[in-house]
Amino acid sequence: MAIMKRKILITGGAGFIGSHVIRLFVKKYPEYSIINLDKLTYAANLENLHDIESYPNYRFIKGDIVDLNFLNILFQKEAVDGVIHLAAESHVDRSLENPAEFVNTNVLGTLNLLQAALKSWGGNLEGKRFYQVSTDEVYGSAEHGDFFTEKTPIDPKSPYSASKAAADHFVSAYQNSFKLPTLISRCSNNYGPNHFPEKLIPLMINNILTDKPLPVYGKGENIRDWLYVEDHASAIDIIFHSGKIGEVYNIGGNNEWKNIDLIHALCKIMDEKLNKEPGTSAKLITYVKDRAGHDLRYAIDSSKLQSQLGWSPSVTFEAGLEKTVDWYLSNRDWLNHVTSGAYKDYYAGMYQNR
Ligand code: NAD
Ligand code: TYD
């Protein structure tokens, strides 16, 4: 079989999930050319990609998806035939403070990418792919016993999820109106190495290490379905290559945890790893004011992806959580650079002449 060459633009590749997707594609597909387009916001960290940055099939380009002119020039120059779009503002708490930033990046940025791809691909859509990486949060909050399927009505409840839902609608509209070959996936909460410590799991790990309170929103009864980040990356690989154009695929771990139970499980692992008396880390648990409009439960049904494309999660939560803790404990520099802001210097040091 002839080796297929592709040039794939992955947006947001310096972020948490994007860096795992980039690593998977760069290593698994040496015949592809992978471009990482990232604006390098506070959430980006090129140190995440240190191990693959000199691979010949990888390139980093600093740029903003909100700049349509820049995107048009990029698409013209690079003859990209696939887009995997992860760039976004991704933190719900920040979306409550600054919703316009989320509309700008998540809605306008996505629309710009759609426009630039369509313009550059023109009449020749054969073999092209525009893949929007979305979230289960667009479905809103699930009642106990219910699961989000791909047919669940979109009902976002936070400015973050509203902006992702709007972006998803634009992607579908481009498929319907212009026959752009699109794919959408909606994944549950990810965890694993390189997760920015503003999100629940890395924030708790960092606070335990620095002996700070562990802020539990409300009563800690909210439920999330957790998936190890490499399992999300493997799902993206399968959907990008084998997904049916125009379809939506849910991705999830079938792994629901109440926040407070998860935090206790994490505290237990941290006590063991740090040789502390059982119960030491849990003493840091502090109940704080609830997040505004806090979605009670996310629960995803990923049976379509499992039965039609043969994907399944490979990492159990017990193993994944331990791997994650081990990673943070053996990458204290990474954590220190992120919390001190020094990670921003990496770009200046590594990429100033490129
Ligand atoms: P992240 O915040 O860690 O990374 C986002 C990346 O996008 C950063 O590197 C940032 O610099 C880049 N970016 C932001 N604005 C940009 C712009 N205007 N132009 C170019 N690049 C820009 O996010 P993440 O957690 O890795 O999430 C990645 C994607 O996956 C997002 O689209 C998110 O909605 C989706 N998602 C996340 C989760 C999760 O649990 N984290 C779950 C499901 C879906
Ligand atoms: P988060 O990691 O922000 O992801 P999302 O809001 O996208 O699900 O939060 C996960 C859950 O943890 C959510 O119910 C909010 C809660 N949470 C806390 O209780 N304390 C915290 O400090 C954070 C960051 C989150």
Side-chain angles (χ1 to χ4, degrees):
M1 202 169 76
I3 288 180
M4 178 147 181
K5 292 194 173 165
R6 303 196 77 131
K7 192 181 263 195
I8 305 176
L9 182 72
I10 300 185
T11 70
F16 166 48
I17 301 169
S19 61
H20 288 275
V21 175
I22 296 257
R23 179 174 298 98
L24 175 73
F25 273 71
V26 165
K27 288 191 167 180
K28 186 168 172 187
Y29 302 107
E31 69 280 17
Y32 289 7
S33 175
I34 304 296
I35 301 174
N36 174 10
L37 169 64
D38 200 297
K39 181 183 170 185
L40 299 185
T41 68
Y42 79 94
N45 188 347
L46 284 169
E47 288 179 32
N48 296 352
L49 293 163
H50 178 64
D51 58 322
I52 57 101
E53 69 194 354
S54 59
Y55 277 50
N57 61 338
Y58 169 74
R59 246 178 331 138
F60 170 70
I61 296 177
K62 185 171 190 277
D64 188 344
I65 57 166
V66 176
D67 183 346
L68 180 57
N69 191 38
F70 160 78
L71 287 180
N72 280 330
I73 294 168
L74 178 73
F75 271 83
Q76 210 173 30
K77 224 169 91 185
E78 296 291 348
V80 160
D81 54 20
V83 175
I84 304 180
H85 176 36
L86 296 108
E89 287 295 333
S90 67
H91 192 37
V92 174
D93 292 330
R94 285 179 190 257
S95 80
L96 297 165
E97 298 296 321
N98 190 358
E101 188 69 38
F102 284 66
V103 173
N104 214 26
T105 300
N106 299 359
V107 186
L108 189 55
T110 303
L111 175 60
N112 285 348
L113 267 176
L114 289 162
Q115 283 185 271
L118 186 67
K119 186 172 175 184
S120 101
W121 293 341
N124 181 13
L125 296 172
E126 187 64 32
K128 307 291 195 296
R129 290 269 185 290
F130 187 105
Y131 181 169
Q132 155 84 347
V133 176
S134 190
T135 165
D136 62 353
E137 302 190 29
V138 300
Y139 297 121
S141 187
E143 298 294 325
H144 289 290
D146 283 357
F147 289 87
F148 301 136
T149 73
E150 292 80 359
K151 293 198 164 64
T152 300
I154 302 298
D155 188 19
K157 305 283 190 194
S158 74
Y160 162 65
S161 53
S163 69
K164 291 294 291 188
D168 288 9
H169 283 317
F170 273 104
V171 172
S172 301
Y174 264 64
Q175 212 281 318
N176 181 62
S177 308
F178 308 114
K179 305 291 167 254
L180 194 75
T182 63
L183 293 155
I184 297 176
S185 63
R186 299 188 176 130
C187 189
S188 60
N189 284 61
N190 285 213
Y191 71 100
N194 304 112
H195 206 181
F196 196 83
E198 65 181 352
K199 306 277 172 69
L200 180 72
I201 291 179
L203 184 139
M204 296 293 159
I205 294 174
N206 186 45
N207 285 16
I208 291 170
L209 287 174
T210 49
D211 208 25
K212 288 196 193 123
L214 309 180
V216 179
Y217 297 169
K219 293 183 179 150
E221 285 180 349
N222 305 69
I223 294 169
R224 298 292 182 265
D225 170 5
W226 294 93
L227 181 71
Y228 193 64
V229 63
E230 287 178 1
D231 278 330
H232 189 186
S234 77
I236 289 174
D237 177 20
I238 291 172
I239 294 167
F240 180 78
H241 288 97
S242 312
K244 199 166 152 220
I245 295 302
E247 295 280 313
V248 175
Y249 295 91
N250 284 349
I251 310 171
N254 209 4
N255 176 42
E256 290 182 48
W257 281 76
K258 233 182 228 182
N259 290 342
I260 190 64
D261 296 340
L262 189 161
I263 292 163
H264 275 292
L266 196 55
C267 286
K268 187 163 173 277
I269 298 177
M270 291 294 283
D271 285 347
E272 284 161 13
K273 299 275 174 190
L274 297 171
N275 289 321
K276 289 186 175 167
E277 280 289 305
T280 309
S281 299
K283 285 194 189 124
L284 297 169
I285 290 174
T286 309
Y287 290 90
V288 299
K289 186 168 173 276
D290 207 355
R291 172 187 280 172
H294 197 171
D295 286 337
L296 180 61
R297 175 170 170 261
Y298 301 143
I300 202 120
D301 175 347
S302 63
S303 55
K304 175 178 171 182
L305 174 62
Q306 306 214 21
S307 65
Q308 294 186 8
L309 302 186
W311 173 87
S312 58
S314 68
V315 181
T316 64
F317 194 53
E318 290 67 26
L321 208 51
E322 189 167 345
K323 263 159 86 132
T324 303
V325 168
D326 285 341
W327 186 86
Y328 279 92
L329 292 180
S330 47
N331 288 275
R332 299 287 279 267
D333 281 353
W334 184 94
L335 206 46
N336 291 337
H337 290 177
V338 169
T339 48
S340 71
Y343 69 110
K344 293 190 183 121
D345 300 338
Y346 188 81
Y347 172 75
M350 283 301 296
Y351 290 86
Q352 59 191 351
N353 298 320
R354 293 193 202 175

